Amino acid sequence: MKALVLALVLLCAPWPGGASAVSAAGCGAPMPAGAEAEIDPAGGIDRRLFDATILAETNHQRCRAGRQALAAGPALARAAQGHSDWMARTGRLSHRSDRAGARTLPDRLRAAGVGGYAFAAENIGSVARFGVAGQRFRVVDAAGCRFADAAGAPLPGHSYASLARRVVALWMDSPGHRRNILDRQARRMGAAMAFDPRAPHCGRYWITQVFAG
């Protein structure tokens, strides 16, 4: 199974000026407190922590590229959460949903109370709960969600930090997603994930990242 399935959408209008470049030095900002904890989907996902962790990793990449940091966008995170919930429920990776009033990104932004933007963009993806994708692995205990790599070393479930680093790194390797992350018109960001326990190998995360400026 692939480690990540990606898609993106972009809406924009001309933005006067744009963000000025910043120094690439000092881009090692720490992750939020608690981000290294392994995610326990059964015990409840900390949505605020995940949003903050994706924002930290996104701003790390923007800093390295000489871009200004993005601010947190709670309304954008709400729009992202609804779409991640829909993708996890339906198993469909798409920017267009069948939710009334939330079929497209503009619909979702309007429903979340986001207005007055000249730029908006959305990245989406799906990542396995455990690091089983893209490598040989063996199932140690399917019911207990225990997996090992080819050498026998345990494959842990993602933490908030490792999931953020993984998905942002893979987005950065995709030209369109990278363009959204580094766009000078972006001013704020919100992100969310939802979990599908029915997916193979103990489940998958469905992730949405929304920008506005």
Side-chain angles (χ1 to χ4, degrees), residues 74-157:
L76 299 178
R78 289 196 298 272
Q81 189 64 62
H83 195 58
S84 286
D85 290 343
W86 175 83
M87 290 193 295
R89 185 175 66 254
T90 62
R92 293 168 56 190
L93 188 80
S94 174
H95 291 287
R96 181 172 289 273
S97 79
D98 56 10
R99 296 167 57 220
R103 290 184 169 85
T104 66
L105 177 57
D107 292 338
R108 293 190 283 277
L109 294 177
R110 188 179 309 111
V114 180
Y117 56 87
F119 165 88
E122 178 180 79
N123 289 342
I124 56 177
S126 179
V127 180
R129 176 184 175 188
F130 288 84
V132 298
Q135 66 172 310
R136 294 179 60 188
F137 69 95
R138 60 187 177 89
V139 179
V140 178
D141 178 3
C145 297
R146 293 173 58 207
F147 306 93
D149 64 17
L155 292 174

Side-chain angles (χ1 to χ4, degrees), residues 2 7 20 34 62 73 87 111 115 130 140-141 148 168 184 192 213:
K2 293 183 179 179
S20 59
R62 286 178 65 88
M87 290 193 295
F130 288 84
V140 178
D141 178 3
V168 172
R184 294 181 184 275

Side-chain angles (χ1 to χ4, degrees), residues 18-112:
S20 59
V22 297
S23 171
C27 294
M31 285 285 184
E36 300 296 341
E38 185 172 336
I39 303 168
D40 178 11
I45 293 169
D46 188 331
R47 295 180 175 184
R48 290 186 178 180
L49 178 57
F50 180 71
D51 181 30
T53 305
I54 289 284
L55 179 63
E57 184 61 19
T58 296
N59 279 337
H60 173 70
Q61 296 298 334
R62 286 178 65 88
C63 179
R64 287 169 56 88
R67 305 292 193 268
Q68 290 184 344
L70 302 177
L76 299 178
R78 289 196 298 272
Q81 189 64 62
H83 195 58
S84 286
D85 290 343
W86 175 83
M87 290 193 295
R89 185 175 66 254
T90 62
R92 293 168 56 190
L93 188 80
S94 174
H95 291 287
R96 181 172 289 273
S97 79
D98 56 10
R99 296 167 57 220
R103 290 184 169 85
T104 66
L105 177 57
D107 292 338
R108 293 190 283 277
L109 294 177
R110 188 179 309 111

